[in-house]
Amino acid sequence: MLGEKQFRSQDVPAVDRFDFWRELMNQTVAPLEMSSDHADDFIASMRLLKLGPVDVWPTTLPSMRFQRTSKLIRQSDPELFHMTFVVQGNLGIDQSGKQTAHGPGDLYVVDSSRTYDCHAVNDRGPVKGVGVEVPKKMLAVAGKGTNELLGRRIPGQEGFGALLTQFLTRITTDTTSFQPSAGPQLGTIMLDLLSALFAHELRAEAALTPETRRRSLVLRIRSFIQRNLADPQLTPRAVAAAHHISLSHLHRLFREENTTVAAWIRHQRLERSRREIADPALRHHTIHQIATRWGYTRAADFTRAFRTRYGMPPSDYRRAALGFPN
């Protein structure tokens, strides 16, 4: 399991909860002034994942206000970019003279070296988001142009924004999929995605290193494949065409990942099928229905591939997973 720390304001007496949270934010992000109408009984939680130089922290909290003032910057400046992926609720940001509003699915960036004022609001429940802290020197690609990004609404449903939000959702939803040693590697992926997103938003893709561009392209291709696994016509040629690259270029990219495009597609389809076959909620779906849903048009091909991968036919795997009698 990926290493993480968990913090809950409910673990301290109600009278101390807001002060506890303020100190936690000051240590995790940067010194901030905070206020909330819910300070008397402040219910909030946070998980902190360390991914090499990058900190990722999914957070749930009531409506409140954060302010980074000139005085606090003079006292301490970790020189970080802070990006938030808004999951639930709304946030208003005022930084560098720009006032912007952000809702679910949006991304925004603030700079710890500049004053800002943030209002997190949700009249129907808590505000939820995923924060990402990264040293500014790790994103030198953006340079002085980063000022253009501060507070700007960055859509998280398309392009590099979608890749980043999908990645954040994956690593914060199921940390059991990753070993503790995977933290630095996931941090590298995060930095590549952030660099690509910043460069794209600033129209500065040419400043990316060749390796960052390569890894970003591989991430886009993998995301495309996962979205289209159910399509029986998903072939390496179709993947290459969708990304406007040659088939030989596509094969070369995956060779550098120590696999092939076709093998990666097969693996993803088999894994999706295996999970659904073992899911009690889908026990009334036939194996053929599940296999067809993930792009297998012939039952014999699926059974053969499944047996080769997992050492038994899918019917035996389902019986073992769900406790069915032999």
Side-chain angles (χ1 to χ4, degrees):
M1 176 184 294
L2 194 62
E4 64 176 76
K5 295 181 180 179
Q6 299 193 33
F7 305 92
R8 297 178 349 124
S9 65
Q10 300 95 306
D11 292 336
V12 302
V15 67
D16 298 324
R17 288 174 182 169
F18 190 69
D19 288 339
F20 164 81
W21 194 258
R22 180 162 44 203
E23 182 62 25
L24 177 64
M25 289 292 100
N26 287 343
Q27 293 179 3
T28 305
V29 186
L32 298 164
E33 290 185 0
M34 287 176 262
S35 59
S36 174
D37 291 339
H38 306 273
D40 290 341
D41 189 9
F42 194 79
I43 305 298
S45 62
M46 182 180 80
R47 293 158 49 219
L48 177 61
L49 286 70
K50 300 287 290 186
L51 307 180
V54 182
D55 289 345
V56 176
W57 38 284
T59 305
T60 300
L61 44 75
S63 298
M64 64 180 305
R65 182 182 185 183
F66 302 90
Q67 291 175 285
R68 179 91 169 128
T69 65
S70 298
K71 179 180 178 181
L72 292 176
I73 292 171
R74 289 193 297 271
Q75 289 177 357
S76 174
D77 182 13
E79 297 192 353
L80 298 170
F81 285 131
H82 167 81
M83 172 171 277
T84 291
F85 166 35
V86 184
V87 178
Q88 179 176 298
N90 296 277
L91 289 94
I93 304 292
D94 186 342
Q95 184 167 61
S96 298
K98 293 185 290 188
Q99 296 180 343
T100 52
H102 310 271
D106 289 346
L107 298 159
Y108 72 85
V109 182
V110 293
D111 182 345
S112 70
S113 304
R114 296 173 177 269
T115 60
Y116 61 82
D117 191 351
C118 173
H119 292 260
V121 180
N122 188 358
D123 295 333
R124 300 182 178 181
V127 177
K128 295 183 179 181
V130 181
V132 179
E133 304 285 349
V134 57
K136 289 193 287 186
K137 63 183 180 182
M138 304 296 290
L139 291 173
V141 62
K144 296 180 180 179
T146 307
N147 294 343
E148 300 177 27
L149 289 180
L150 299 181
R152 179 198 294 183
R153 175 187 173 272
I154 302 174
Q157 303 92 351
E158 58 190 45
F160 285 107
L163 286 176
L164 181 61
T165 57
Q166 289 165 12
F167 181 70
L168 286 172
T169 300
R170 171 73 190 281
I171 63 174
T172 58
T173 300
D174 182 16
T175 57
T176 61
S177 299
F178 306 98
Q179 296 297 322
S181 59
Q185 182 181 7
L186 294 173
T188 298
I189 295 173
M190 179 69 73
L191 286 170
D192 285 340
L193 286 171
L194 285 169
S195 296
L197 176 63
F198 278 32
H200 177 74
E201 291 294 317
L202 295 168
R203 300 297 187 266
E205 288 93 338
L208 294 173
T209 66
E211 179 60 16
T212 295
R213 286 200 297 271
R214 186 195 72 80
R215 287 198 295 249
S216 298
L217 177 56
V218 171
L219 288 168
R220 292 204 307 273
I221 291 170
R222 288 187 172 188
S223 177
F224 172 83
I225 289 172
Q226 289 175 334
R227 293 196 308 271
N228 292 277
L229 285 173
D231 183 0
Q233 303 304 313
L234 182 67
T235 63
R237 190 173 298 279
V239 173
H243 292 84
H244 309 291
I245 60 176
S246 69
L247 187 59
S248 60
H249 187 186
L250 177 67
H251 286 313
R252 187 164 57 251
L253 288 170
F254 274 75
R255 271 200 307 273
E256 293 176 9
E257 300 288 314
N258 297 315
T259 187
T260 66
V261 190
W264 203 79
I265 292 173
R266 285 196 302 271
H267 173 68
Q268 295 301 312
R269 282 175 166 162
L270 284 170
E271 270 298 289
R272 299 291 182 91
S273 301
R274 181 191 64 79
R275 291 175 189 173
E276 292 197 355
I277 286 171
D279 188 346
L282 300 176
R283 64 172 59 207
H284 299 301
H285 293 220
T286 68
I287 289 174
H288 179 65
Q289 286 173 329
I290 292 172
T292 301
R293 183 155 57 238
W294 294 113
Y296 284 94
T297 56
R298 296 180 55 187
D301 291 344
F302 174 69
T303 299
R304 182 167 53 254
F306 194 97
R307 185 198 293 270
T308 300
R309 180 77 186 181
Y310 302 109
M312 65 179 72
S315 55
D316 291 353
Y317 187 90
R318 168 172 267 186
R319 279 194 291 270
L322 301 181
F324 289 167
N326 291 326

